[in-house]
Amino acid sequence: MRAAGSVLHDFYVSAENIFEIVAREIDGGLPSGDQWQRELLKQMTLSVEEVRPPLLSRETASKLDEFRAFRHVFRNAYGFNLSSDRLAELLNKFPHAAGCLQKEAHSFIETMLEIMPGGRPGRIRG
């Protein structure tokens, strides 16, 4: 259970790293406060007028929010007291959530390349 939980934890941490880069480099900063991780995920569903489109749909953000919440539990439980039922549920949802994230991130990158000054410098390999 610990190993499976670690995979799910790392999945969300990786996604959140992408969100942090977008927030810092494009949006101008990270949210603050006790719920900054939740706010960051929500921020990725918003369009920033004349700057960027949403990175995520609300549906994908909702899927990812389950992994964000699990990440918090995993970190605080240190692998102990993990619910095998909850872990199995998230493992079943993982491929779809990861696919949605990948598809929307690629779409975001493609759109950003189109709207960036100087145009499209090259193709993204995916």
Side-chain angles (χ1 to χ4, degrees):
M1 282 189 7
R2 172 87 169 118
S6 182
V7 169
L8 298 176
H9 168 275
D10 292 352
F11 164 66
Y12 190 77
V13 168
S14 297
E16 190 170 77
N17 286 341
I18 295 167
F19 307 154
E20 287 180 21
I21 291 167
V22 170
R24 255 192 244 104
E25 301 297 324
I26 299 173
D27 296 358
L30 293 167
S32 59
D34 292 343
Q35 298 291 317
W36 76 269
Q37 290 102 343
R38 179 175 285 163
E39 292 301 315
L40 177 62
L41 182 57
K42 182 179 176 185
Q43 183 176 327
M44 294 301 107
T45 68
L46 304 175
S47 175
V48 178
E49 193 171 330
E50 297 187 30
V51 176
R52 70 162 179 85
L55 172 58
L56 301 172
S57 66
R58 280 185 249 148
E59 295 80 13
T60 296
S62 179
K63 289 174 179 58
L64 294 175
D65 194 45
E66 291 188 76
F67 293 91
R68 182 198 57 78
F70 176 80
R71 187 267 323 261
H72 178 76
V73 169
F74 184 81
R75 283 185 174 175
N76 292 310
Y78 302 105
F80 300 106
N81 300 322
L82 293 176
S83 164
S84 59
D85 291 341
R86 181 65 175 141
L87 194 57
E89 180 184 340
L90 286 173
L91 286 169
N92 285 330
K93 292 180 177 184
F94 172 68
H96 183 66
C100 289
L101 173 61
Q102 182 179 19
K103 179 182 172 200
E104 291 181 16
H106 278 288
S107 178
F108 176 81
I109 291 166
E110 290 291 326
T111 301
M112 290 303 294
L113 287 172
E114 295 295 331
I115 64 175
M116 285 176 12
R120 187 176 195 72
R123 261 187 63 128
I124 291 189
R125 300 180 211 280

